[in-house]
Amino acid sequence: MTLVTAGVLVLDCAEPEKLAHFYKELLEAEETDVTANRVEIRNADGTRLAFRRDVNATPPSWPRPENSLQTHLEFVVGDLDAAERRVVSLGGRPIDTKDSTGPVEERGYADPAGHSFTLRRVLPTAPKQG
């Protein structure tokens, strides 16, 4: 018998309805559970995210070292430029401004509540550097 039957990544935020809308549109997902303080979504491949109201929520400050990144989301996309346009049109913003000399395989963003996430062309195989 399986002990764990489902996993959901939960992001705390001040306005779960607004943040759920951002990710619902980005991931082409559907709402699967909505309460006064929590919204859960799931997309076609089964990715599940939930957004929980936290009246004291403050945006993460990544990449500043004094408040380092502890967790982030990663999404694999076929076209980074098209995905970036979609993120920005939904209220997200680029945060990874590193100057790259080769083809960029990943880009960092913040959602409207400040949580960081990465769009990548392929899943990473090497450990994080820096």
Side-chain angles (χ1 to χ4, degrees):
M1 178 168 69
T2 302
L3 181 62
V4 177
T5 59
V8 179
L9 178 64
V10 180
L11 296 176
D12 291 343
C13 57
E15 299 176 283
E17 303 82 6
K18 287 184 180 181
L19 196 56
H21 177 75
F22 173 84
Y23 283 106
K24 186 172 99 172
E25 294 298 314
L26 180 64
L27 300 175
E28 298 179 10
E30 64 179 341
E31 289 181 354
T32 57
D33 188 36
V34 180
T35 67
N37 292 307
R38 189 175 184 275
V39 179
E40 185 176 319
I41 65 170
R42 180 176 52 233
N43 75 352
D45 78 357
T47 300
R48 294 173 63 183
L49 299 174
F51 311 93
R52 181 178 63 181
R53 188 175 318 279
D54 178 349
V55 295
N56 297 313
T58 58
S61 64
W62 184 85
R64 292 190 333 224
E66 64 271 15
N67 192 8
S68 66
L69 174 68
Q70 296 178 5
T71 188
H72 73 282
L73 303 170
E74 241 175 38
F75 302 107
V76 177
V77 299
D79 182 333
L80 282 168
D81 293 332
E84 179 171 293
R85 286 190 296 274
R86 181 75 171 148
V87 165
V88 171
S89 76
L90 293 169
R93 63 180 172 80
I95 57 174
D96 188 356
T97 57
K98 290 186 276 187
D99 206 10
S100 179
T101 57
V104 178
E105 295 296 321
E106 69 177 43
R107 297 180 190 163
Y109 301 88
D111 66 27
H115 302 104
S116 62
F117 65 95
T118 303
L119 299 179
R120 319 179 54 85
R121 285 197 184 127
V122 296
L123 290 174
T125 57
K128 179 182 177 202
Q129 300 294 315

